[in-house]
Amino acid sequence: MPTVSKKSPDTSCADVNLVHKVRSSPVEATKRDSLMTMRLGVDFGTTRTTAAVVDRGNYPALTFPDADGDAQGYVPSIAAEVDGRLVYGHEAAAAARQGASHLRSFKRLLSSAGVTEATSTRVGSIELPLIDLVTEFLAHVAAAIRSELQLDDGDSLEAAVGIPAQAHSGQRLLTLEAFRRAGFDVVAMLNEPSAAGFEYTHRHALTVTSRRTKVLVYDMGGGTFDASLVAATGTNHDVLASMGDNELGGDDFDVALAKLAVERSGAPLPDDQWDALVDAAREAKEALHPQSRYITLEVGGAPLVISVKDFYQAVAPFVTTTMATVEALLYGEGEIEESLPRDLAGLYVVGGASELPVITRMLRERYGRRVHRSPMTAASTAVGLAIAADPEAGYTLTDRLSRGVGVYREEENGARVNFESLLTPELRTSLTEPVTVSRTYRAVHNVGRYRFAEYTLDANGLPRGTAIPLGEVLMPFDVALRGTDIDLENVPVQRIGNGPLIEELCTVDPTGVVTVTLRDVEAGFEVSQTLGKAD
């Protein structure tokens, strides 16, 4: 199974302190005779993107100067139009505060069903392919990293990058391609909560014992919520199960606060003021601390005061929903207990959105003292990714597919369509080697029409009843249809009886992308398609 190295873990807090430059790093030399490679973990977040660097067994998170020159532990995931061009990160955030047209949380667009390289988006008056927008943003991040680490343009950036555990193949493909186009050499793509599990055992190694071997990672990001149950033995990690929601995150808390403000104001808000109110709600939410009692917002030009208690009551259902996911991972179909299972070392709270005090408060009220909130919630995943990128490490990871892959097949001469699961969310995957599931059968129709789709599981571990289409594959079983210009879409499906012997292979590569191959075993003819990729 996959191995991503490690020396004995350094459990001090120094390894994740925010730093401008890696301490005593060779990149600080003023002259170098050759190009060098810098290894990183990069967490492309919905609202904030963070990075950590490999530094001889330590994994410090990087800081980046904002528009005022102050160090921040992230690059804002935002694009803005300034003088007919797009700017990104802190410059874009500053422009947005001055009223520039902007687009936040564009990572969420990647999770939309049917997204491909042809999908476009708009920022102000500029329309461009979504993949170009993401690529340009990540190129901005790469430039910021090079600047902070004083790297030359020719120095390479080898990065382990994160992806939501529930991300479908289209989202994985576009994210991977954007990182590569932006100049990163992607050495691994990990599910985000799995990476955070690395950071937990690196930081809290002493809590993992022979009796308490499991960690539940609770990852509330700006646009998604993921949770993974990880079994850890030393530096070996095995993801037992993952669940989550691609449509729940910190952005939803911002919208809830904005809606509460409009409701309390008692007057309708003009449409052109809504985005500004949500931005203000985001800033107010991020400024909250455990002792906060009131939130002040301006609605329609008038100040409005909202009690923090009322806001927390409005968003409590979001947190309650995540608890249902946690309990599904911990107890499955068994009886839910009052306290955490005895073999659980800790419930680890990560993700920038989890900085909201009510989240940790509700989790601790429900689960007690074994709830650990990362001291750097926004950077936890980046640190875990840096550990994965470290060739001198010793961490291993066996993950799960996290979503199911199935196919709609035509039966009875095309008169009936049946959905069949091919890959289940529990499928064990590898960080280093492709995993293939195959089966062989005798075709009975002239054309095989396969409509592939992905599905995820709800908090009860059941398919949601909806599926994300991944594309269609047409396989000419009738040899007379091969090597011709015949459009198989227009060929009626007919039963031919004893047809060719077909081997069907579903391969999951180390990034989680699925490729389907249909092969005529006897003739050697095959058709292959990467799911989620535009034709």
Side-chain angles (χ1 to χ4, degrees), residues 430-485:
S430 166
L431 274 183
T432 57
E433 301 292 337
V435 175
T436 299
V437 175
S438 65
R439 66 176 192 160
T440 304
Y441 51 87
R442 187 69 68 173
V444 296
H445 293 90
N446 60 335
V447 175
R449 181 169 283 127
Y450 301 80
R451 298 181 179 91
F452 292 94
E454 283 179 326
Y455 62 89
T456 54
L457 303 179
D458 63 15
N460 297 314
L462 300 172
R464 294 182 177 182
T466 58
I468 297 175
L470 293 177
E472 182 180 62
V473 178
L474 296 173
M475 174 68 171
F477 294 141
D478 186 346
V479 295
L481 298 174
R482 299 174 185 173
T484 69
D485 294 330

Side-chain angles (χ1 to χ4, degrees), residues 144-159:
I145 291 172
R146 291 181 182 280
S147 176
E148 288 305 296
L149 296 178
Q150 300 180 5
L151 298 178
D152 294 338
D153 289 342
D155 294 333
S156 61
L157 300 177
E158 287 190 355

Side-chain angles (χ1 to χ4, degrees), residues 1 191 238-241 398-405 422-430 434-438 506-509 512-514:
M1 297 310 290
N191 291 336
D238 182 14
V239 178
L240 303 178
T398 301
D399 213 329
R400 296 295 185 274
L401 187 61
S402 302
R403 78 274 187 206
V405 176
L422 302 176
L423 305 177
T424 65
E426 295 79 19
L427 178 71
R428 297 164 69 92
T429 60
S430 166
V435 175
T436 299
V437 175
S438 65
C506 291
T507 300
V508 185
D509 75 8
V513 173
V514 180

Side-chain angles (χ1 to χ4, degrees), residues 288-305:
L288 292 175
H289 53 79
Q291 289 72 42
S292 297
R293 295 292 178 267
Y294 298 98
I295 301 169
T296 301
L297 291 172
E298 186 174 286
V299 182
L304 179 74
V305 177

Side-chain angles (χ1 to χ4, degrees), residues 196-214:
F198 279 5
E199 194 262 341
Y200 178 88
T201 53
H202 178 78
R203 174 181 288 276
H204 299 288
L206 296 180
T207 68
V208 181
T209 67
S210 60
R211 294 184 178 182
R212 291 184 173 176
T213 60
K214 296 178 182 177

Side-chain angles (χ1 to χ4, degrees), residues 482-501:
R482 299 174 185 173
T484 69
D485 294 330
I486 297 175
D487 184 357
L488 295 179
E489 288 279 1
N490 298 322
V491 175
V493 176
Q494 297 177 345
R495 189 178 184 86
I496 59 175
N498 193 29
L501 186 64

Side-chain angles (χ1 to χ4, degrees), residues 9-210:
D10 175 2
T11 56
S12 70
C13 294
D15 60 337
V16 289
N17 286 338
L18 293 176
V19 296
H20 282 290
K21 294 191 284 280
V22 181
R23 60 177 179 79
S24 304
S25 170
V27 301
E28 294 178 19
T30 56
K31 294 182 180 179
R32 287 191 275 110
D33 296 330
S34 62
L35 298 178
M36 67 177 299
T37 296
M38 182 57 66
R39 297 179 176 88
L40 308 147
V42 181
D43 180 20
F44 168 36
T46 303
T47 56
R48 295 177 176 179
T49 293
T50 56
V53 65
V54 176
D55 182 28
R56 291 162 292 186
N58 294 289
Y59 309 97
L62 299 178
T63 63
F64 306 93
D66 62 16
D68 297 321
D70 296 324
Q72 303 292 343
Y74 61 90
V75 176
S77 302
I78 178 175
E81 182 183 12
V82 176
D83 297 330
R85 63 185 181 90
L86 293 182
V87 297
Y88 299 92
H90 288 294
E91 183 181 357
R97 288 192 292 269
Q98 298 300 317
S101 298
H102 61 281
L103 179 63
R104 296 183 185 271
S105 304
F106 46 81
K107 178 182 175 181
R108 267 195 163 181
L109 301 177
L110 293 171
S111 65
S112 301
V115 65
T116 69
E117 290 189 11
T119 302
S120 64
T121 189
R122 177 177 292 275
V123 184
S125 65
I126 300 174
E127 184 173 357
L128 74 167
L130 177 59
I131 189 172
D132 288 354
L133 178 73
V134 177
T135 297
E136 290 178 14
F137 169 73
L138 293 176
H140 172 83
V141 173
I145 291 172
R146 291 181 182 280
S147 176
E148 288 305 296
L149 296 178
Q150 300 180 5
L151 298 178
D152 294 338
D153 289 342
D155 294 333
S156 61
L157 300 177
E158 287 190 355
V161 302
I163 192 77
Q166 306 301 313
H168 57 82
S169 288
Q171 183 174 359
R172 290 171 185 270
L173 281 166
L174 290 184
T175 301
L176 183 62
E177 181 63 18
F179 266 100
R180 288 172 173 167
R181 292 184 185 182
F184 291 96
D185 179 6
V186 179
V187 296
M189 178 180 280
L190 279 71
N191 291 336
E192 290 161 0
S194 301
F198 279 5
E199 194 262 341
Y200 178 88
T201 53
H202 178 78
R203 174 181 288 276
H204 299 288
L206 296 180
T207 68
V208 181
T209 67
S210 60

